[in-house]
Structure formats: C-alpha cells, structure tokens
Amino acid sequence: RITVNEVPTPPIITQPTINICQNDNSPISISAIGDNLRWYRNDDSFIIQSNTFDPVTMGEINTASSGSTTFKVSQVKNNCESDFSTITVEVQALPNTSAINGLNTICAGTQGVIYSVTEVAGHIYTWNLSGGGTISSGQGTSSIAINWNSNTSGIANYTLSVLEEDETGCVDTQVDLIITVNPVPNVSFTGIVASYSSSDINSYELTGTPTGGTFYGRGVSFNTTTSKYEFAPSEAGTGAIPIGYRFETT
C-alpha cells in the first residue's frame, strides 16, 4: 500500500515587505503562517529551517547600503514541501540632510532669526538648541525661527542641531551648526554738555566707550591729525541737535 500525501499550500505571508533603515543592525524577525518553515535565498539556496528568521543577525542582508533582498519560504507537511512564498526586506536609504543655513554669529536679543535646511516633502525635522535662546516657530518643519536671549554677559557658543526623519521612520545623522552669540555692548560717550552757543568756534573732543565706534550728528567731524572725533558748535547750527555714538561688535 502506498500513501500519497497532498503537497501543502505555500505559507501565508502577512507582511510581504519589511522596511529597515540603512546602517540599522538591530535584530528583526520575519515569519509566515505554516508548519516546519524552510527559508531560502532568492536563488533557491537553503538558509535555515525555523518558524522565524532573522536575516540581519545571520548576515543575509548588508544594511550598509540601501536596496531590497527577497527571501523565499516553504512549509513541510508529511515530508512534502510546498511551493514558495516570498518576503522582501527593503533597506531604506537614510535622508540626506543638508547643512543648516543661517547666521552663525548673532547679537544677543535678536528676534526671529531664521535657520533652515533643504526641505523634502513628507519629512519631519526635529530641531534642538543647546541654549541662549528659544525656538519660537517652525518645529517639525525644515525652517525655524529663534529668539535669542538678551541677557548674555559675554560671548557664548551654542549648538543648533536638526534630525531629519523620512516617511518610513529612518533618521539621518544629526546635523549641527555652532552659533556664536555676542553681547550687546553698553555704549556711552563724553566730551560735550547739553547746550552751546552757535557762535562758539571751539572744537570739543569726543570719547566713546567702548573704543572703536563712530560718532554722528551735525557739527561732528573726525580729526585726522589727532585721530579723534570732535564736535564744533559753530558748524552744528541751532536747535535740538542729536549727537550719537555707534559701536558694532564683529
């Protein structure tokens, strides 16, 4: 008497495509519904008999580069092996985040300064600022605005970073920008009083703090001999005359 066993149907695949991220070597488990599952490479070479299969841990997938790898699986019942079902593992390329665009030197207290990276539709951008200010708008998008604090007592460096995540959940390496925040100087000057006669032909030397700034206003000139700014009332005219001193940090 000869018993002829029925060839089983191919295993049922509930997840025909599995996505993993480039350079992610975390273990994965692929499976199918069936008995005594046998796993094969796409060229039909045998890999392992097991109900689950981890192609990453077993070195069947190179996660260093993007691409797809197809595996075949059969089931065995009563010594009869079914035809194959297939499962494809897709190694998704990481997003390629651009450099951060924006000022890397800023004055304390500056508001609404824009920083951005090249936008890719559907991607999520997570920004982080190490200190010195707050992200006022744009979190989650490719462009943000920062309000810098006004209480910086000295020159300080802060790091602005962004992580870009694509639709599959893959995240690129963090991109950083070092930003130098300069304190706003306390500016003052001496050398003049509140009122003068328009007939006063004297010149009064002006001294600004910090040094290196620029005086402006009617009757103000730079003496190339003394390398000092001077105020001449007789050249200023009459009325309320604004005289100022401007100093800019680099």
Side-chain angles (χ1 to χ4, degrees), residues 15-249:
Q15 190 175 359
T17 302
I18 297 174
N19 294 313
I20 63 175
C21 298
Q22 186 177 356
N23 297 324
D24 184 357
N25 291 311
S26 302
I28 65 172
S29 179
I30 61 177
S31 61
I33 299 174
D35 296 321
N36 302 313
L37 299 181
R38 293 173 59 87
W39 297 90
Y40 296 82
R41 300 177 185 90
N42 199 41
D43 63 3
D44 294 346
S45 58
F46 177 72
I47 302 173
I48 191 174
Q49 180 165 326
S50 174
N51 287 334
T52 60
F53 169 47
D54 181 357
V56 176
T57 300
M58 294 187 67
E60 294 293 331
I61 294 176
N62 178 16
T63 64
S65 58
S66 61
S68 63
T69 304
T70 298
F71 297 98
K72 299 177 179 180
V73 60
S74 66
Q75 66 171 324
V76 178
K77 290 183 178 180
N78 299 318
N79 294 318
C80 294
E81 186 171 2
S82 70
D83 289 335
F84 292 129
S85 296
T86 60
I87 296 178
T88 299
V89 178
E90 294 274 359
V91 178
Q92 301 290 333
L94 298 179
N96 185 19
T97 309
S98 71
I100 298 174
N101 296 311
L103 296 172
N104 60 2
T105 301
I106 198 75
C107 290
T110 307
Q111 304 292 290
V113 183
I114 301 298
Y115 294 90
S116 65
V117 293
T118 301
E119 181 179 9
V120 178
H123 287 199
I124 298 172
Y125 301 84
T126 302
W127 296 84
N128 182 68
L129 181 62
S130 64
T134 57
I135 298 173
S136 59
S137 64
Q139 184 64 271
T141 73
S142 63
S143 179
I144 60 167
I146 293 179
N147 292 336
W148 292 102
N149 297 339
S150 59
N151 58 350
T152 301
S153 59
I155 297 174
N157 293 321
Y158 300 100
T159 301
L160 176 65
S161 61
V162 61
L163 289 170
E164 181 177 356
E165 179 180 345
D166 67 16
E167 302 91 334
T168 65
C170 294
V171 180
D172 192 17
T173 303
Q174 177 175 295
V175 174
D176 295 333
L177 177 67
I178 306 299
I179 302 170
T180 300
V181 179
N182 292 313
V184 176
N186 293 317
V187 176
S188 63
F189 69 91
T190 59
I192 57 175
V193 294
S195 63
Y196 290 91
S197 169
S198 61
S199 62
D200 187 344
I201 62 173
N202 293 307
S203 294
Y204 298 91
E205 185 177 290
L206 304 174
T207 302
T209 303
T211 60
T214 303
F215 284 92
Y216 59 90
R218 296 205 315 262
V220 173
S221 62
F222 184 74
N223 188 322
T224 56
T225 301
T226 62
S227 296
K228 299 286 187 179
Y229 281 91
E230 296 175 342
F231 171 66
S234 61
E235 298 177 6
T238 59
I241 302 170
I243 305 295
Y245 179 66
R246 179 185 298 112
F247 179 85
E248 296 182 0
T249 58

